[in-house]
Amino acid sequence: MSDTNSLANKTVVVLGGSAGIGLATAKAAAAEGAKVIIVSSNQQRINKALEQLPQGSAGYAVDLSKEENIKNFFEKIGQLDHLVYTAGENLQLGVVETLDLEKSRDFFNLRYWSALAAVKHASGRINAGGSITLTSGSGGIRPQKGWVIAASICTMMEGLTRALAVELAPTRVNCVMPGFVKTELWGNVPEADREAMFKSAADMLLVKHVAEPEEIAQGYLYLIKQSYSTGQSIVIDGGGVLS
Ligand SMILES: NC(=O)c1ccc[n+]([C@@H]2O[C@H](COP(=O)([O-])OP(=O)(O)OC[C@H]3O[C@@H](n4cnc5c(N)ncnc54)[C@H](OP(=O)(O)O)[C@@H]3O)[C@@H](O)[C@H]2O)c1
């Protein structure tokens, strides 16, 4: 058995691939010869992302918040080699005293339940030697004030990853836990506040900068290509949990 999987001619499906970490991962996989399929809810954003990917890449507009849509998508595309799940809407943060619990329940939908639905409908179609890579965040290990819900989701993803690795073996199932990354995820923070937030995060981080999505994409690529890790969640956070 080879110690790394070549991505040449492998099908890599990135759910949440129109922007941010997902698009960076799709680009990195395509650069290694993978046939990339990206999915997001918005056709225009898919089209824009496809302009940045090689010919032969494909994109589908699918609202991943509904299991039925996910099921239909995987029926349509058939077999694949590697599944990456990075879909997520803007963060909802808030202190516990004022949390809207109904809204907070909804926040688990796309990151947790839809990731699980994607695995449910994709796993039987993953070729031998394939993998699944999910997304969490370092906020579960080092939450800040206001992160009660977001941190809970992060930690759920770690447990889900371990349970799926056991159940779906020998398909490998892993997870990436990014720290701060410069993406549209932070789009609901006003621009001036966002820049100030990135600057103060950079000052605090051991590596002294907030990640670009391409730096996080390397983690997904590693987990896809290597052959021996499963059930693992890797932190890529510029030393955030130590600072
Ligand atoms: N950025 C960070 O600092 C950071 C840190 C830790 C963890 N993370 C996690 O990493 C993941 C990716 O985040 P990112 O920073 O790359 O965010 P992003 O740039 O906002 O990308 C999110 C992706 O999800 C897609 N999406 C949103 N709603 C969707 C839906 N209903 N159906 C299908 N696709 C949908 C978006 O596309 P459309 O809008 O076109 O649908 C986009 O492609 C998230 O789970 C996030 O929590 C991010």
Side-chain angles (χ1 to χ4, degrees):
M1 182 191 258
S2 160
D3 56 358
T4 54
N5 297 313
S6 161
L7 289 188
N9 300 317
K10 299 289 182 188
T11 300
V12 176
V13 176
V14 184
L15 302 183
S18 71
I21 296 168
L23 178 56
T25 302
K27 284 184 194 169
E32 299 219 2
K35 177 184 180 296
V36 168
I37 300 176
I38 57 168
V39 169
S40 89
S41 68
N42 182 313
Q43 185 67 56
Q44 278 179 340
R45 277 158 62 89
I46 287 284
N47 294 345
K48 238 176 109 192
L50 283 174
E51 286 169 14
Q52 301 172 54
L53 290 165
Q55 287 239 327
S57 306
Y60 296 86
V62 180
D63 178 0
L64 296 170
S65 64
K66 302 215 165 36
E67 182 182 354
E68 188 64 18
N69 298 346
I70 293 171
K71 178 172 177 279
N72 292 340
F73 167 73
F74 283 109
E75 280 172 3
K76 189 159 59 191
I77 65 156
Q79 291 296 117
L80 65 147
D81 295 289
H82 302 283
L83 173 68
V84 173
Y85 192 94
T86 58
E89 68 284 83
N90 285 354
L91 281 184
Q92 290 173 30
L93 303 175
V95 292
V96 69
E97 293 88 347
T98 56
L99 272 185
D100 177 333
L101 293 184
E102 277 312 311
K103 257 176 85 184
S104 299
R105 277 196 183 91
D106 290 348
F107 197 46
F108 286 77
N109 194 37
L110 190 58
R111 283 183 173 77
Y112 177 80
W113 288 108
S114 296
L116 180 53
V119 173
K120 174 180 165 185
H121 293 290
S123 58
R125 304 173 197 278
I126 294 181
N127 295 326
S131 72
I132 297 170
T133 310
L134 304 174
T135 303
S136 170
S138 61
I141 303 173
R142 178 119 197 243
Q144 300 178 20
K145 205 171 170 186
W147 275 69
V148 170
I149 299 299
S152 303
I153 297 171
C154 291
T155 305
M156 283 172 76
M157 295 310 296
E158 280 184 78
L160 175 65
T161 299
R162 284 192 282 271
L164 288 172
V166 170
E167 198 164 313
L168 300 179
T171 298
R172 294 177 303 102
V173 185
N174 293 295
C175 184
V176 174
M177 304 176 76
F180 255 118
V181 193
K182 281 188 186 171
T183 68
E184 294 167 29
L185 187 86
W186 300 103
N188 57 358
V189 178
E191 198 176 337
D193 296 350
R194 204 183 325 147
E195 285 314 311
M197 181 181 79
F198 286 152
K199 184 168 180 325
S200 82
D203 289 345
M204 201 184 68
L205 289 168
L206 300 186
V207 299
K208 297 295 168 210
H209 73 275
V210 171
E212 297 296 336
E214 289 72 19
E215 297 179 276
I216 308 299
Q218 290 307 312
Y220 291 83
L221 221 61
Y222 164 72
L223 290 170
I224 292 171
K225 286 176 61 182
Q226 54 82 42
S227 56
Y228 212 61
S229 281
T230 191
Q232 301 305 307
S233 295
I234 60 166
V235 176
I236 308 178
D237 72 337
V241 297
L242 300 177
S243 53

